[in-house]
C-alpha cells in the first residue's frame, strides 16, 4: 500500500520567512499526491494536487509543491510566511482509490 | 463549490449509547468517506462508500457501521459508544472512483463519549 511520511509534527517559522514542509511518499505505481490545510475547528481544504504533467504545482494562498520522482518527494513551500498560514498541513497519496495521509505538520508563525 | 455538511459540530453522548453522525454532500459525488482524527495520528479511514448501498471497510472499522441509502447522504453509526471513540470525525466526498480526484471535507464533528 502507498504511504507518506511527514517529519516534524510541529514547525515554527518567522513571519516573512520561507515555509518548507517535507513529504516523502512510497508508491509502487505513479502516484497522485495532495496537500491539504486544516485551520482550527475546520475540516481539511485542498491546497494543491499533482496528478500528471508539470512537476511544479501551484496552489492557493501562494503555496507550491514540486514532485520529484527520483527523490520520491513532494515538498510544500511558500516564499514568505504570513500569520494566517498558522494551521495544520497534511500530505496525502492515493492508495487503492483511497487517500493515505501523513501525520501532519502543525505550523506556528512567529511575529 | 462543493459543500459537505456534517449535522453536528459538537456532540456529547454517554457510554453504551447508539450514536448517529450524518453527512450530506450537494455535488452528486459517487464516493463518500468517514475518518477519525486524533492528535499525533493524523486521519484514519473508518469506512467508505463508492455507491448507494455499497460500503467498504477502511483501516479502523471496529465498533462502527455505516449506511448509504441515498447518494448524497452517508451516515456513521457507533453501535455502542465507548470512551475510546471520543474523537474528531470528518466526512469527505469525491466525484468518482478515479484516484486523481481530490476529496472535499466537511467541518467535522467533535464527539465526546462520557
Amino acid at each position: 500500500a502507498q504511504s507518506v511520511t511527514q517529519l516534524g509534527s510541529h514547525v515554527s517559522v518567522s513571519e516573512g520567512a520561507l515555509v518548507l514542509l517535507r513529504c516523502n511518499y512510497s508508491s509502487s505505481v505513479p502516484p497522485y499526491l495532495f496537500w491539504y490545510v486544516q485551520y482550527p475547528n475546520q475540516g481539511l481544504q485542498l491546497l494543491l494536487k499533482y496528478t500528471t504533467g508539470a512537476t511544479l504545482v501551484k496552489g492557493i494562498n501562494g503555496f507550491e509543491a514540486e514532485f520529484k520522482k527520483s527523490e520520491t518527494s513532494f515538498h510544500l513551500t511558500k516564499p514568505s510566511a504570513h500569520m494566517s498560514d498558522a494551521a495544520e498541513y497534511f500530505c496525502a497519496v492515493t492508495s487503492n482509490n483511497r487517500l493515505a495521509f501523513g501525520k501532519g505538520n502543525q505550523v506556528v508563525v512567529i511575529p | 463549490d462543493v459543500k459537505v455538511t456534517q449535522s453536528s459540530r459538537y456532540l456529547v453522548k454517554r457510554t453504551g449509547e447508539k450514536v448517529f453522525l450524518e453527512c450530506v454532500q450537494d455535488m452528486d459525488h459517487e464516493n463518500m468517506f468517514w475518518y477519525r482524527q486524533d492528535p499525533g495520528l493524523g486521519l484514519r479511514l473508518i469506512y467508505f462508500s463508492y455507491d448507494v448501498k455499497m460500503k467498504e471497510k477502511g483501516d479502523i472499522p471496529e465498533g462502527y457501521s455505516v449506511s448509504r441509502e441515498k447518494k448524497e447522504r452517508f451516515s456513521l453509526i457507533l453501535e455502542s459508544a465507548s470512551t475510546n471513540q471520543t474523537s474528531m470525525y470528518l466526512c469527505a466526498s469525491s466525484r468518482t472512483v478515479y484516484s486523481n480526484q481530490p476529496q472535499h471535507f466537511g467541518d467535522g464533528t467533535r464527539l465526546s463519549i462520557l
Side-chain angles (χ1 to χ4, degrees):
Chain A
Q2 281 67 257
S3 65
V4 295
T5 301
Q6 293 179 249
L7 296 178
S9 60
H10 286 76
V11 176
S12 294
V13 59
S14 297
E15 191 176 14
L18 171 72
V19 179
L20 170 60
L21 302 180
R22 300 179 187 275
C23 174
N24 288 91
Y25 69 88
S26 167
S27 177
S28 57
V29 298
Y32 297 130
L33 294 156
F34 304 83
W35 275 100
Y36 285 86
V37 61
Q38 185 180 32
Y39 298 104
N41 297 317
Q42 294 185 24
L44 276 68
Q45 178 181 358
L46 181 68
L47 267 179
L48 48 80
K49 66 176 181 177
Y50 170 79
T51 53
T52 58
T55 56
L56 182 62
V57 181
K58 295 187 183 301
I60 61 172
N61 302 338
F63 283 93
E64 63 182 36
E66 187 170 12
F67 171 66
K68 292 187 176 181
K69 184 178 179 181
S70 61
E71 298 177 9
T72 62
S73 69
F74 190 55
H75 300 333
L76 181 72
T77 59
K78 180 174 180 177
S80 176
H82 191 273
M83 296 301 293
S84 61
D85 295 325
E88 191 158 19
Y89 294 80
F90 293 93
C91 183
V93 65
T94 52
S95 176
N96 299 325
N97 288 328
R98 305 188 263 179
L99 281 180
F101 286 89
K103 288 184 166 43
N105 295 122
Q106 185 70 51
V107 171
V108 175
V109 182
I110 302 167
Chain B
D1 272 359
V2 177
K3 184 72 173 175
V4 178
T5 303
Q6 295 185 231
S7 54
S8 304
R9 292 298 304 274
Y10 301 93
L11 207 54
V12 180
K13 297 291 183 180
R14 298 208 173 272
T15 304
E17 280 191 69
K18 191 169 186 177
V19 180
F20 293 85
L21 302 183
E22 307 287 345
C23 175
V24 176
Q25 50 93 3
D26 67 353
M27 287 299 292
D28 201 36
H29 282 181
E30 293 181 5
N31 296 346
M32 296 189 76
F33 307 82
W34 275 107
Y35 296 90
R36 66 177 281 175
Q37 181 180 15
D38 300 289
L41 297 179
L43 275 74
R44 294 180 290 168
L45 182 64
I46 305 172
Y47 269 97
F48 68 103
S49 168
Y50 49 88
D51 201 353
V52 176
K53 297 190 185 297
M54 305 299 287
K55 62 184 180 184
E56 284 201 26
K57 294 180 180 179
D59 300 318
I60 52 165
E62 297 77 18
Y64 303 94
S65 63
V66 290
S67 173
R68 194 168 181 199
E69 297 295 321
K70 293 185 178 181
K71 191 173 185 179
E72 68 271 18
R73 187 180 297 272
F74 193 36
S75 302
L76 179 69
I77 304 156
L78 285 66
E79 297 291 344
S80 178
S82 64
T83 54
N84 62 11
Q85 292 178 309
T86 291
S87 186
M88 169 72 94
Y89 290 87
L90 291 166
C91 176
S93 70
S94 65
R95 190 160 61 92
T96 70
V97 298
Y98 296 111
S99 298
N100 62 351
Q101 297 298 312
Q103 292 184 16
H104 301 267
F105 285 81
D107 283 337
T109 295
R110 192 167 292 280
L111 176 64
S112 296
I113 307 296
L114 304 180

